[in-house]
Amino acid sequence: PPAFMLTQQYRMHSDIAQMVSATFYSNKLTTARVTEEARRHPFPANFVAVRGNEERRGASTSLINEAEANAVVDLVEMLVRQGVHAQSEINVLTFYNGQRALIARKLTAAKLPEVQAISVDSMQGREEDVIV
């Protein structure tokens, strides 16, 4: 059967979409005008370097990184406490269930129970204002 490529996206900030388009789609992916107008955040993507070590605890095969989990909670706290975003507008995305559980515990301890820590698989098809 023939293959078709969708060339217009409606979810990501256009700066993020440009990076994805150049990396994976030979610059063929564009952002719909309605999406460009709705997603005007001045910092659509930021990367934070965290020194830490991945480890496995007990018999688990899932990885965790304590330093990374602490940095995530600190960033979420800053966004919420400074009134930049409500807890319900933020999701924390991680690849490993062990890390997801660790971050969820730390978010609860930091009195941020509405912030969801979820796996990449669970995020499929969903949207959120802020992804950490």
Side-chain angles (χ1 to χ4, degrees):
F4 296 96
M5 179 179 159
L6 300 178
T7 58
Q8 193 168 57
Q9 68 87 22
Y10 291 84
R11 291 187 177 206
M12 294 176 272
H13 188 285
S14 61
D15 289 351
I16 298 170
Q18 285 173 345
M19 181 175 54
V20 171
S21 181
T23 304
F24 300 107
Y25 300 107
S26 302
N27 291 311
K28 293 178 183 172
L29 184 65
T30 62
T31 300
R33 172 170 270 133
V34 67
T35 304
E36 286 184 2
E37 292 171 3
R39 308 231 189 307
R40 294 189 179 266
H41 195 284
F43 303 108
N46 291 282
F47 298 90
V48 178
V50 177
R51 290 185 185 260
N53 297 308
E54 292 178 341
E55 61 181 279
R56 288 184 174 87
R57 290 199 178 149
S60 176
T61 59
S62 188
L63 295 171
I64 65 166
N65 184 321
E66 192 83 33
E68 184 180 87
N70 290 333
V72 164
V73 173
D74 288 347
L75 179 59
V76 171
E77 266 187 316
M78 181 194 69
L79 292 169
V80 171
R81 305 283 186 247
Q82 292 184 1
V84 177
H85 290 282
Q87 290 186 45
S88 60
E89 297 173 330
I90 302 170
N91 276 20
V92 175
L93 190 60
T94 183
F95 289 100
Y96 301 107
N97 280 325
Q99 187 74 349
R100 183 203 53 74
L102 176 63
I103 292 170
R105 284 193 303 273
K106 289 179 176 288
L107 288 167
T108 299
K111 297 185 177 23
L112 297 164
E114 293 177 49
V115 177
Q116 292 185 21
I118 60 175
S119 68
V120 172
D121 291 340
S122 297
M123 189 65 192
Q124 287 293 97
R126 294 175 56 175
E127 293 182 36
E128 200 55 76
D129 292 338
V130 178
I131 301 295
V132 175

